[in-house]
């Protein structure tokens, strides 16, 4: 499977940060940086700034992701009445899962979050997200050196990006 | 600085369960006020969870996390008395760190 250079760079970066030696990394992960430096680390050019789904998937290395099957689960309502608050749980049982990302196809900025997990943490996260309209949700997991995807549709009655 | 992050760290059936509620507007930058002006984006961008001072979860967040973000995690090896700390930074450079102990 091919992987874009930027994705490979992200992965190396992540490992450094998790080892606690990445204070100068693009991501202000360790929290050791002062606010002025935070401002100096904008997200231009990252997958979070991308508005097109194809570009997001490409930038997070998921363009050719493998089907995760039941090993990567998205727990979410089939129908969300309020798009401002949609409860989402993502759980990976793929061996050696290091990262889980969530992409909401029809949101203005599809990449919603990326979580990196050290071995001490189970590769799962629950949170609440905003959805603009009915959309496919894609969970993307980096596990064992490969990238996997799982997807699920959530219907939205009242959109939530205006909130 | 914002309000403190509420953290609940409990061991249930031998597994550490972590829930946290961050107090933040999570303004997307896509909304307009009543006079049609865009309300500037203001949202948490990074979230770091440490267990006994070791980073175990590190997140990058976009503006589509709901207002007052709620997160739940599992730390299977956490034990009573272990310290958990949560630190966030937002896109305007604000940040906050809070701590709790597993019970």
């Amino acid at each position: 499977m091919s992987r874009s250079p930027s994705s490979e760079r992200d992965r190396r970066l992540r490992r450094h940060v998790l080892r606690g030696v990445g204070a100068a990394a693009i991501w202000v992960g360790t929290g050791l940086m002062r606010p002025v430096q935070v401002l100096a680390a904008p997200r231009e050019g990252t997958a979070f700034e991308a508005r097109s789904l194809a570009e997001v998937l490409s930038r997070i290395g998921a363009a050719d992701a493998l089907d995760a099957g039941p090993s990567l689960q998205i727990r979410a309502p089939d129908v969300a009445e309020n798009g401002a608050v949609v409860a989402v749980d993502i759980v990976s049982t793929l061996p050696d899962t290091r990262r889980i990302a969530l992409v909401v196809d029809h949101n203005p900025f599809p990449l919603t979050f990326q979580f990196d997990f050290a071995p001490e943490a189970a590769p799962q996260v629950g949170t609440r997200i905003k959805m603009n309209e009915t959309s496919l949700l894609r969970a993307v997991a980096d596990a064992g050196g490969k990238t996997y995807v799982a997807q699920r549709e959530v219907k939205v009655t009242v959109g939530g990006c205006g909130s | 600085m914002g309000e403190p992050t509420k953290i609940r760290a409990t061991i249930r059936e031998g597994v550490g369960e972590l829930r946290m509620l961050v107090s933040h507007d999570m303004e997307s930058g896509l909304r307009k006020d009543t006079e049609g002006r865009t309300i500037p984006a203001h949202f948490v961008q990074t979230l770091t969870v440490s267990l006994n001072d070791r980073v175990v979860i590190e997140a990058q967040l976009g503006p589509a996390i709901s207002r007052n973000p709620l997160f739940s995690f599992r730390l299977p090896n956490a034990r009573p008395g272990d310290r958990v700390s949560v630190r966030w930074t937002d896109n305007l450079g604000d940040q906050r760190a809070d701590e709790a102990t597993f019970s």
Side-chain angles (χ1 to χ4, degrees), chain A residues 16-62:
Chain A
H16 282 301
V17 171
L18 284 175
R19 284 172 192 153
V21 296
I26 295 168
W27 300 128
V28 190
T30 59
L32 294 172
M33 289 182 160
R34 289 184 293 278
V36 61
Q37 291 165 299
V38 173
L39 285 171
R43 283 183 160 169
E44 275 104 47
T46 73
F48 280 97
E49 291 280 308
R51 287 177 175 270
S52 101
L53 175 65
E55 192 164 353
V56 168
L57 294 178
S58 163
R59 287 188 186 178
I60 65 172

Side-chain angles (χ1 to χ4, degrees), chain A residues 17-147:
Chain A
V17 171
L18 284 175
R19 284 172 192 153
V21 296
I26 295 168
W27 300 128
V28 190
T30 59
L32 294 172
M33 289 182 160
R34 289 184 293 278
V36 61
Q37 291 165 299
V38 173
L39 285 171
R43 283 183 160 169
E44 275 104 47
T46 73
F48 280 97
E49 291 280 308
R51 287 177 175 270
S52 101
L53 175 65
E55 192 164 353
V56 168
L57 294 178
S58 163
R59 287 188 186 178
I60 65 172
D64 303 313
L66 306 169
D67 182 357
S71 302
L72 183 59
Q73 292 202 356
I74 305 174
R75 297 173 190 158
D78 292 325
V79 178
E81 288 184 10
N82 178 7
V85 185
V86 182
V88 177
D89 269 288
I90 302 179
V91 180
S92 173
T93 51
L94 295 160
D96 193 30
T97 301
R98 305 289 184 88
R99 170 177 282 187
I100 292 175
L102 180 68
V103 177
V104 180
D105 285 18
H106 290 171
N107 268 4
F109 296 101
L111 182 56
T112 305
F113 59 66
Q114 277 184 340
F115 284 87
D116 291 341
F117 300 94
E120 293 95 327
Q124 63 179 78
V125 55
T127 188
R128 304 182 297 204
I129 65 168
K130 301 177 213 172
M131 291 182 66
N132 198 35
E133 59 189 45
T134 295
S135 176
L136 204 63
L137 269 51
R138 297 171 201 252
V140 176
D142 291 353
K146 295 191 167 77
T147 303

Side-chain angles (χ1 to χ4, degrees), chain A residues 17 27 29 31 33 35 39 43 48 84 112-116 118 120-122 124-130 162-163, chain B residues 26 31 45 48 54 56-66 68 70-76 87 91 93 95:
Chain A
V17 171
W27 300 128
M33 289 182 160
L39 285 171
R43 283 183 160 169
F48 280 97
T112 305
F113 59 66
Q114 277 184 340
F115 284 87
D116 291 341
E120 293 95 327
Q124 63 179 78
V125 55
T127 188
R128 304 182 297 204
I129 65 168
K130 301 177 213 172
S163 55
Chain B
M26 298 302 287
R31 290 203 310 153
Q45 273 192 323
T48 304
R54 183 176 143 79
V56 292
I57 297 168
E58 182 140 52
Q60 297 292 324
L61 307 175
I65 303 292
S66 301
N68 295 333
L70 176 73
F71 298 102
S72 56
F73 303 106
R74 301 185 105 193
L75 301 176
R87 179 183 291 269
N91 66 313
Q95 58 180 298

Side-chain angles (χ1 to χ4, degrees), chain A residues 17 27-35 38 115, chain B residues 1 3-7 18 20-24 43-51 53-61 69 71 73 83-90 93-100:
Chain A
V17 171
W27 300 128
V28 190
T30 59
L32 294 172
M33 289 182 160
R34 289 184 293 278
V38 173
F115 284 87
Chain B
M1 272 297 285
E3 296 293 308
T5 298
K6 291 176 185 159
I7 305 171
L18 188 57
M20 58 190 72
L21 183 65
V22 177
S23 176
H24 203 285
F43 60 96
V44 174
Q45 273 192 323
T46 71
L47 180 88
T48 304
V49 178
S50 299
L51 183 65
D53 299 322
R54 183 176 143 79
V55 173
V56 292
I57 297 168
E58 182 140 52
Q60 297 292 324
L61 307 175
F71 298 102
F73 303 106
R83 282 177 304 107
V84 60
S85 66
V86 180
R87 179 183 291 269
W88 57 256
T89 63
D90 71 22
D94 198 2
Q95 58 180 298
R96 171 149 203 122
D98 294 282
E99 205 171 274

